[in-house]
Amino acid sequence: MLLYGSNMVNNFILIVDDEKAILSTLELALGDIAGAYNYSIKTFSDPDDCLKFFNSNEGSKYCRLVISDVDMPGMNGLELQEAILKWGGKDIPYIFMTAGDTERLTKSGVEKDRIMSKPFDLMDLICKVERYAKDR
């Protein structure tokens, strides 16, 4: 954990989904595992807002994982990943969530273990997040 003045800055897990109910569920489900690794969870219903946060000094330095829906209005999850990569996020792991066809993702180069097909078991996601947290 890092200090800026009197404020503690945690590493972040960014969660992006246009469905606010999913954001709330994931934030609650991942809260304990994130806290165990001194991570904060930041949720965004708009990929543009997530990108603005990432482009801030705080976001780009301390983002450790992005969990993103693929199909969202405006910018989709793959476009968000591409934008974050351009801003220096090449070492940040991604987990993509989709209710659609996963073949499109694998054809785009996304590894199968980074894809969660909706609906998915929250324990599977928690295990993936813990694995990434331990590796960082």
Side-chain angles (χ1 to χ4, degrees):
M1 207 172 325
L2 302 170
L3 295 176
Y4 280 140
S6 62
N7 296 328
M8 296 175 117
V9 177
N10 291 328
N11 293 319
F12 298 107
I13 297 171
L14 304 180
I15 304 174
V16 188
D17 197 304
D18 58 317
E19 294 183 48
K20 291 185 181 186
I22 290 176
L23 290 175
S24 298
T25 299
L26 295 181
E27 185 173 24
L28 182 63
L30 297 173
D32 288 342
I33 195 69
Y37 290 94
N38 292 321
Y39 284 22
S40 293
I41 296 174
K42 301 286 186 188
T43 61
F44 300 92
S45 59
D46 183 332
D48 288 319
D49 291 339
C50 178
L51 191 56
K52 287 175 192 169
F53 176 80
F54 182 83
N55 289 339
S56 73
N57 189 39
E58 191 174 277
S60 61
K61 284 186 179 178
Y62 304 110
C63 180
R64 297 295 177 253
L65 175 65
V66 177
I67 301 170
S68 178
D69 188 19
V70 174
D71 297 311
M72 297 179 284
M75 185 185 309
N76 69 41
L78 291 169
E79 293 167 334
L80 176 63
Q81 179 190 30
E82 186 176 310
I84 287 176
L85 287 170
K86 286 180 183 176
W87 283 92
K90 65 182 171 108
D91 295 326
I92 299 170
Y94 283 76
I95 298 172
F96 290 100
M97 305 176 291
T98 184
D101 182 20
T102 61
E103 188 175 325
R104 173 177 66 142
L105 292 171
T106 55
K107 284 183 178 180
S108 297
V110 178
E111 298 169 13
K112 286 185 180 187
D113 72 328
R114 294 183 184 259
I115 302 169
M116 302 290 297
S117 293
K118 292 179 182 178
F120 52 82
D121 185 336
L122 285 174
M123 284 307 298
D124 290 342
L125 180 61
I126 290 168
C127 290
K128 284 180 190 251
V129 169
E130 184 171 26
R131 186 179 80 225
Y132 292 123
K134 284 180 179 178
D135 291 344
R136 310 287 285 158

